[in-house]
Amino acid sequence: MALQRPKGTKDHLPDGSPQLKLDVSARAFQHVTDTAARVLERGGAAFIATPLFEEAELVKRGVGGSTDIVRKEMFTVFYFGDHGGYVLRPEGTAGLVRAYLENGLKQLPAPLKLWTHGPMFRAENVQKGRLRQFHQVDYEVLGSADPLIDAEAIWLMVQVVQALGLTGVQVKLGSIGDPEDRDTYNAYLRQTFTPHLERLSDDSRDRLERNPMRILDSKSAGDQALIAELSVKPMLDFLGAEARAHFEAVRGHLDSWKVAYVVDPSIVRGLDYYRRTAWELHHAQIGAKSALGGGGRYDGLAKELGGPETPGIGWAFGIERILGAMEQEGLGLPAAEGPAVYIAALDAEHVPLAAWVALGLRSEMRADFGYKPQKPGNAFREGERRGATFTALIGSDEAAAGTVALKHMASGEQRSVPVGELSGFLLERLSDSQSGIS
Ligand code: AMP
């Protein structure tokens, strides 16, 4: 049997591939990243790209030593003579903040808005919507703690998914307060759970020591039943005055911009460097267990990575999950654009000339050519199959006269155009897509 791709990975394939669904369509994938680029760059974000592998220590500090990601899901990178200290990145924020600090991006005007997209790696138990290599679109803002930045970040996330046509999305907004608030909350959680230690899962007993808040997003049904039974109060009840004012300000902006959201007191981010605003993006038809994306403020992260105190906030969504949601909603893609012109030679002798004419047009437009000579009927059918706006033929008469025989596919009109005038002629006709040839 031929070799297969690793478990938990996907191939994103070109149009026309057998059984192509949206979640493995390369064009759909590109449509998501192009749409994100348009929306985020209009919002003032600059593209950044960072390595796919980073020091394990960076990921440990950035994602948190107590998380499943770091404890169970890291892909370690080995190479000849290596100390084994690198891992494939499981998310984008840590590397991006490292790059910000390491390259002196603090000198750029603040707030600095950055975006990226690319593969992320987690050695997860593979199941529907849970891959080992998946892709994220990531937006991060460094250098401001203003709640207006938080609201704008949420607005942009919603804009991207709406620009893709998704309607069933919902923002669940919460706040995890300031570190002091979380200390108080953790003390409350310890007090609440300690009398019921024997009913907690092993993982959660461990969390009670290290990071009690993480018990709340435990995947164990027993833990969740206990949480419900004890009517555990949410973090939101423990916000201090400043964190509460920040939360209200974010909500105020979202309300005034008519961004729909629901307050979800159960949203938790267990790491020390997270502050205040946290949210998730959900989809009605995909269910609460698998979010499309999430975001939060991480004012303590830069310091955790050894840099100066730098406020930051960001979000990421999973491209495969977004494509899954688009498929659920029955959304399509914008029609694939064919070439402006398909150029065919009528005999073998003139194939290089047809190629030369096509190559010359490519600085202005997409121009395809036939690698083999074709009869006129076949050439027109090929032009149509490719979705070409025009088909051009070159035979002995055209070669001698320095022209092409051009056909406008939609109207069927034909005329002869000198090769030297072809580019100008096509550009003019293409700019007015309704018009034919004459
Ligand atoms: P996280 O960094 O865990 O907050 O994840 C952000 C988003 O990335 C999630 O909401 C998902 O859309 C996506 N994501 C995370 N893990 C996976 C995975 N294993 N497979 C596919 N998508 C994922």
Side-chain angles (χ1 to χ4, degrees):
M1 192 166 62
L3 295 173
Q4 297 184 326
R5 64 179 176 274
K7 192 171 164 189
T9 66
K10 283 187 181 187
D11 297 314
H12 295 270
L13 303 166
D15 278 0
S17 304
Q19 289 155 16
L20 189 65
K21 292 218 294 202
L22 218 53
D23 68 327
V24 291
S25 153
R27 198 158 66 81
F29 186 102
Q30 210 172 17
H31 177 56
V32 174
T33 56
D34 285 352
T35 303
R38 192 178 71 241
V39 172
L40 299 177
E41 288 174 13
R42 277 188 194 163
F47 187 72
I48 183 169
T50 65
L52 298 194
F53 61 98
E54 292 277 1
E55 292 276 0
E57 181 62 22
L58 175 84
V59 173
K60 197 168 160 190
R61 288 204 223 166
V63 179
S66 70
T67 57
D68 280 357
I69 294 181
V70 167
R71 293 171 65 195
K72 302 179 189 163
E73 298 171 1
M74 302 268 259
F75 277 108
T76 304
V77 178
F78 291 103
Y79 61 87
F80 183 70
D82 172 36
H83 62 309
Y86 296 118
V87 295
L88 295 180
R89 63 182 187 188
E91 54 88 54
T93 310
L96 198 139
V97 173
R98 176 204 49 71
Y100 173 90
L101 296 169
E102 187 170 350
N103 299 293
L105 303 191
K106 207 180 172 68
Q107 290 162 29
L108 297 178
L112 181 64
K113 300 171 177 180
L114 300 167
W115 86 280
T116 192
H117 69 85
M120 306 295 161
F121 306 87
R122 298 180 194 176
E124 305 234 33
N125 280 327
V126 177
Q127 43 187 290
K128 193 170 163 50
R130 204 162 280 285
L131 296 160
R132 291 187 174 163
Q133 175 175 330
F134 58 98
H135 298 77
Q136 286 183 342
V137 168
D138 223 313
Y139 168 81
E140 315 278 350
V141 188
L142 290 145
S144 171
D146 189 332
L148 195 52
I149 296 286
D150 307 31
E152 187 192 24
I154 295 169
W155 183 85
L156 281 167
M157 191 180 198
V158 171
Q159 280 292 301
V160 175
V161 295
Q162 285 184 349
L164 290 167
L166 285 169
T167 53
V169 289
Q170 185 177 52
V171 173
K172 294 187 177 175
L173 181 67
S175 171
I176 49 170
D178 285 314
E180 318 75 82
D181 308 337
R182 258 178 352 251
D183 289 346
T184 317
Y185 188 50
N186 278 330
Y188 157 77
L189 290 176
R190 284 203 182 92
Q191 207 176 31
T192 308
F193 285 116
T194 303
H196 308 277
L197 263 188
E198 76 291 349
R199 290 186 53 196
L200 285 174
S201 66
D202 288 349
D203 275 348
S204 283
R205 235 171 279 149
D206 195 37
R207 291 180 185 121
L208 193 62
E209 287 273 306
R210 298 162 180 252
N211 197 337
M213 271 177 85
R214 292 212 71 89
I215 297 176
L216 302 178
D217 51 20
S218 163
K219 289 175 192 138
S220 140
D223 288 347
Q224 288 302 336
L226 183 63
I227 292 164
E229 199 180 305
L230 297 176
S231 304
V232 175
K233 290 191 225 166
M235 176 70 230
L236 266 188
D237 290 2
F238 289 75
L239 297 191
E242 286 181 33
R244 181 157 296 283
H246 187 97
F247 185 55
E248 295 307 331
V250 174
R251 292 190 59 182
H253 295 311
L254 293 175
D255 290 340
S256 71
W257 302 338
K258 309 238 178 319
V259 178
Y261 65 90
V262 293
V263 171
D264 184 343
S266 71
I267 289 195
V268 281
R269 287 271 194 290
L271 301 180
D272 288 347
Y273 63 74
Y274 282 115
R275 304 273 193 286
R276 304 183 177 182
T277 314
W279 72 95
E280 287 174 2
L281 189 71
H282 286 265
H283 192 272
Q285 283 158 278
I286 292 193
K289 277 264 171 271
S290 49
L292 295 185
R297 181 162 274 293
Y298 50 76
D299 295 347
L301 176 57
K303 192 140 184 250
E304 181 70 32
L305 301 183
E309 196 84 50
T310 313
I313 184 168
W315 54 254
F317 64 65
I319 295 180
E320 288 84 356
R321 296 245 179 111
I322 290 280
L323 292 174
M326 287 172 68
E327 186 142 343
Q328 284 281 336
E329 287 196 16
L331 294 173
L333 295 177
E337 255 186 58
V341 61
Y342 171 68
I343 305 179
L346 299 180
D347 45 67
E349 185 190 340
H350 297 114
V351 168
L353 177 60
W356 181 78
V357 174
L359 300 182
L361 291 171
R362 284 185 182 167
S363 56
E364 306 279 4
M365 65 194 74
R366 180 174 154 198
D368 291 3
F369 63 90
Y371 294 93
K372 297 252 190 291
Q374 285 174 310
K375 294 196 166 58
N378 287 339
F380 293 140
R381 268 190 292 282
E382 180 63 18
E384 193 162 317
R385 190 187 69 76
R386 291 172 189 243
T389 311
F390 291 91
T391 298
L393 306 180
I394 302 181
S396 309
D397 294 349
E398 288 77 18
T403 60
V404 301
L406 192 65
K407 176 173 175 178
H408 183 246
M409 302 305 286
S411 66
E413 291 169 69
Q414 301 196 31
R415 68 180 275 180
S416 166
V417 179
V419 169
E421 294 169 21
L422 187 57
S423 161
F425 182 89
L426 291 173
L427 284 175
E428 198 179 309
R429 293 307 187 280
L430 290 166
S431 67
D432 179 5
S433 60
Q434 295 309 306
S435 78
I437 208 159
S438 44

